[in-house]
Amino acid sequence: MFSTDNSNPDGLKMSLTLPKRSSAWLGFVALLIAIAYALFVIMSYSGDQQRLLAATLTVRALNCCLIVGGIGLALVLIPVLKSLERRVKLTTVGFLVFGFLICGLAPKTNRIFFDEHIYMHVGQSIAHTGRAEAPNYARVEYGAYESYSSWVNKQPNGHPYVLSLVYRIFGVSSSISFVVNRVWVGLAAASIFLALHLLPWSLPKGSAFLAAALYCFTPLVIWWGHTVAVEPGASGSVAVAFLMICLHARFRFSAEPSQNSAPTWIIMAAAVAFSAYFRPESLLVYGVFVAFLWASDKRFVFDFSTWASLALAISLTIPTLLHLWSVRTEDWGATDGRRFASDFIPANLASNGGYFFNGKWFPFAGTVLGLAGLVWLFRKQPKGALALLVWLGASWGIFILFYAGGYHYGASSRYAVVSTAPIAIAMGIGGAYLWFSCKKVPAIRAFLVGLGALNWASAMHYVPTIGRESAEARADVTFVERVAPTLPEGSLVISSNPCIWNIEGVNSSQFFTIENMVRTELIELRNQYPGGIYVHWNFWHNVEPTMADDARRLIADTEATRVASMTSQDHEMAIMRVDTPAAIAKFGGHSKPSTRINRMVLPSSSAPSTTP
């Protein structure tokens, strides 16, 4: 594949002639043609068609990522394990466990309104139907699942897909969902440690251990690691992809023939593609892919395996590209429709840059260590410093252009989690460098360690706190979790947040999906749901007047009766039963009550009465 050229001082160039194994080149070209053709066909579809197609293709592509990654892992596992010292393997497992455990310091709670339940809801749909959709109306009783009306969520589906894998094994529940991010934190810490051991650079001794440890102790990593938010998964999946990039960089041109022949490019492609599915900016992982291979060895620019891996990864990423393209007209909550603009830079830069200096969420000692690490890299590994800055720019810098990307926007501090892995790497290198720089003066070393530990501890003060942000929304979730087990079997709850009820195993529907049937065919609806029809007066009715008016009219028209209620701050949550005798008389429709319903209202029946 390589040829010598006297005009090229490095003696390297890519040959345009087919190598002996020409089938590899032909397969590579065929894959590129297939990618181009697929994109051409997809672009001819309407936006709605693209969304429907993305709902299925996304799950299939993520399945392929796992299959391809599993094949790659099976092929490289033995040579990798043989190349690692026992101490390194045990420490890797130790960080996997430690990262999981340390998240227990933070309260188990939801921090972003109902986004986390939407992720769970999509995961529930993937687990049961294989489609990445969020149902507006679904029947979920007795562990079964049937969706009658769904929509394609604008957020990428990597996190819901991982949740769906857990749901298939352990069942759908909010409690098991919180375990996923704790696993991601442990997996990210273990990946950072092992990646820096494999990376073919000369780093200060102890850099890998310190980087992984500081990642685990990063306050926002712990705080968000005990939620169901997507950002810990976005950070962890790129850390895993970084590990596979380092694995390929270490093995591809190894002096050991058995290592050199290991097809590490396969697992690298799968990991990079999989990580691209977590957040829109996760697609910038391809910059990390290119930067670190280029910084590790210039031969990767001319290496067939690099280009084959890149082509395979892109082909596996097409569904998320399709998904993001299909929702490109969404405003993502921007009132003027501008999602990215240079106008947002001053405020966001002040907020996101201040993150490193004001000590609110991040210790200033970490900033000193990170800067020291970058200084060391620029002196000893300038290409490595540039590669790390590419990663940092993709994971931290992109948010200063986003209208809601500033950490000052309440729960937007979660965006900082996305950049914690490259920051931890810089801190680990800087910490190891400073440690050995003070080797000859133990007193100074002890003083600096003590000062840094105190500063770090001061930045951890909020880790055990819940926070005021979205307190009423959390109260609404608590209310649903308390009421759901008390509702009769076969109940239907009409709610602005059917996702919460569905996760709790209760049938639920959006107002706009079911209201017409309540007003025209209430008897038929009650035949389907003999446990009763209920309206959930929820968080959104307290903050959105239009939604409150719609619900209030339905409650008044049906003369609904209150079943349960609670108050949080000035917000009221309640469950109102709408299939009252007055409502049946008014909105019953022409359907006759079923035999089952007639038996239920007889005094001699042991079943509970359906009358309010």
Side-chain angles (χ1 to χ4, degrees):
M1 183 169 180
F2 294 99
S3 62
T4 303
D5 184 353
N6 294 330
S7 63
N8 185 343
D10 297 317
L12 296 174
K13 71 175 184 178
M14 177 171 271
S15 172
L16 297 179
T17 59
L18 291 176
K20 292 181 180 179
R21 299 178 68 179
S22 57
S23 59
W25 273 106
L26 290 174
F28 176 68
V29 173
L31 181 59
L32 293 180
I33 295 174
I35 292 173
Y37 178 74
L39 291 174
F40 173 77
V41 172
I42 289 171
M43 289 304 102
S44 66
Y45 292 173
S46 67
D48 290 340
Q49 290 174 323
Q50 290 173 354
R51 289 193 184 200
L52 292 174
L53 186 61
T56 301
L57 291 184
T58 293
V59 179
R60 292 178 181 176
L62 286 166
N63 287 338
C64 287
C65 286
L66 290 186
I67 294 171
V68 171
I71 293 172
L73 182 62
L75 294 174
V76 306
L77 185 61
I78 300 302
V80 169
L81 290 178
K82 286 182 177 179
S83 70
L84 296 175
E85 299 175 6
R86 184 170 179 267
R87 172 183 58 84
V88 173
K89 289 183 278 192
L90 290 176
T91 307
T92 301
V93 174
F95 274 120
L96 184 63
V97 175
F98 182 69
F100 176 88
L101 293 177
I102 198 170
C103 292
L105 295 176
K108 184 177 75 172
T109 188
N110 302 120
R111 300 190 185 277
I112 341 170
F113 285 94
F114 306 103
D115 287 26
E116 295 171 53
H117 282 85
I118 293 175
Y119 301 142
M120 290 186 260
H121 210 197
V122 176
Q124 185 179 32
S125 175
I126 295 173
H128 286 278
T129 69
R131 295 184 60 81
E133 297 174 325
N136 287 318
Y137 175 21
R139 192 161 195 152
V140 297
E141 54 193 351
Y142 312 116
Y145 179 91
E146 188 174 3
S147 175
Y148 301 123
S149 173
S150 300
W151 58 283
V152 177
N153 185 39
K154 61 181 179 294
Q155 281 86 4
N157 294 302
H159 183 47
Y161 176 81
V162 175
L163 290 171
S164 76
L165 299 179
V166 177
Y167 294 160
R168 285 171 178 149
I169 300 171
F170 300 101
V172 178
S173 72
S174 58
S175 59
I176 195 66
S177 303
F178 284 94
V179 175
V180 172
N181 277 348
R182 298 182 67 176
V183 173
W184 272 123
V185 171
L187 196 57
S191 297
I192 290 170
F193 171 75
L194 189 54
L196 293 184
H197 262 287
L198 293 171
L199 191 64
W201 300 351
S202 178
L203 298 176
K205 186 178 179 180
S207 296
F209 182 90
L210 197 55
L214 292 177
Y215 179 85
C216 290
F217 281 108
T218 300
L220 281 179
V221 168
I222 302 172
W223 209 54
W224 286 99
H226 215 176
T227 68
V228 195
V230 69
E231 283 70 26
S235 176
S237 62
V238 176
V240 172
F242 173 63
L243 168 60
M244 300 311 164
I245 292 168
C246 293
L247 179 69
H248 184 67
R250 174 70 174 269
F251 273 45
R252 181 65 183 95
F253 300 118
S254 171
E256 177 63 39
S258 62
Q259 295 182 6
N260 185 279
S261 60
T264 50
W265 66 274
I266 296 176
I267 193 171
M268 178 173 64
V272 168
F274 193 85
S275 67
Y277 278 85
F278 280 78
R279 285 190 52 86
E281 71 280 351
S282 294
L283 287 166
L284 297 177
V285 68
Y286 284 101
V288 180
F289 172 98
V290 171
F292 275 93
L293 289 182
W294 167 78
S296 299
D297 196 318
K298 69 181 71 176
R299 286 177 292 180
F300 282 117
V301 177
F302 308 97
D303 185 42
F304 174 80
S305 68
T306 303
W307 294 95
S309 180
L310 182 62
L312 178 58
I314 292 175
S315 66
L316 292 172
T317 311
I318 286 178
T320 197
L321 294 173
L322 168 63
H323 180 203
L324 293 174
W325 177 262
S326 69
V327 298
R328 66 189 184 281
T329 57
E330 295 274 351
D331 58 19
W332 292 70
T335 54
D336 60 0
R338 295 188 310 147
R339 292 161 292 180
F340 292 90
S342 59
D343 297 351
F344 307 130
I345 292 178
N348 288 351
L349 186 58
S351 170
N352 301 12
Y355 165 78
F356 298 104
F357 299 100
N358 59 26
K360 181 180 179 182
W361 287 316
F362 188 76
F364 183 70
T367 303
V368 174
L369 295 180
L371 291 174
L374 289 174
V375 169
W376 187 92
L377 280 172
F378 272 111
R379 288 177 56 197
K380 302 294 186 179
Q381 297 281 352
K383 286 186 177 180
L386 291 175
L388 194 60
L389 287 177
V390 167
W391 190 358
L392 189 59
S395 57
W396 176 83
I398 189 66
F399 289 105
I400 65 174
L401 294 168
F402 184 45
Y403 87 98
Y407 302 166
H408 56 279
Y409 284 107
S412 291
S413 66
R414 69 189 188 275
Y415 296 148
V417 177
V418 180
S419 61
T420 48
I423 292 171
I425 291 171
M427 289 192 296
I429 295 171
Y433 166 58
L434 293 177
W435 174 261
F436 286 101
S437 297
C438 301
K439 182 179 180 180
K440 296 181 179 180
V441 191
I444 294 179
R445 176 192 279 183
F447 173 76
L448 292 177
V449 170
L451 187 64
L454 286 174
N455 178 258
W456 204 286
S458 69
M460 297 276 286
H461 69 279
Y462 69 90
V463 168
T465 67
I466 294 178
R468 173 67 181 84
E469 180 72 21
S470 67
E472 293 83 6
R474 282 195 298 269
D476 200 5
V477 172
T478 301
F479 175 67
V480 171
E481 292 173 346
R482 190 188 75 186
V483 173
T486 70
L487 294 180
E489 292 182 352
S491 298
L492 173 69
V493 176
I494 305 171
S495 174
S496 304
N497 300 307
C499 51
I500 313 177
W501 295 97
N502 285 166
I503 296 300
E504 296 300 319
V506 177
N507 310 314
S508 187
S509 172
Q510 286 276 5
F511 272 80
F512 60 81
T513 304
I514 203 73
E515 183 180 6
N516 183 64
M517 192 169 183
V518 173
R519 293 182 177 279
T520 58
E521 300 289 342
L522 186 55
I523 291 179
E524 174 60 30
L525 192 61
R526 198 176 70 164
N527 287 345
Q528 296 178 30
Y529 299 100
I533 316 298
Y534 303 85
V535 165
H536 174 205
W537 183 269
N538 56 71
F539 170 84
W540 293 113
H541 296 138
N542 287 269
V543 298
E544 293 286 346
T546 302
M547 296 177 70
D549 290 342
D550 293 341
R552 194 176 289 112
R553 280 193 296 270
L554 183 62
I555 291 170
D557 292 347
T558 57
E559 300 182 28
T561 58
R562 185 182 297 259
V563 175
S565 63
M566 76 174 273
T567 302
S568 173
Q569 308 288 339
D570 62 342
H571 286 47
E572 183 182 14
M573 291 79 178
I575 291 294
M576 314 287 289
R577 186 161 185 173
V578 297
D579 57 330
T580 61
I584 292 173
K586 187 175 182 180
F587 302 125
H590 301 291
S591 300
K592 295 181 179 180
S594 68
T595 305
R596 180 182 180 187
I597 294 296
N598 287 334
R599 286 201 305 269
M600 290 180 69
V601 298
L602 291 175
S604 59
S605 173
S606 59
S609 172
T610 59
T611 55

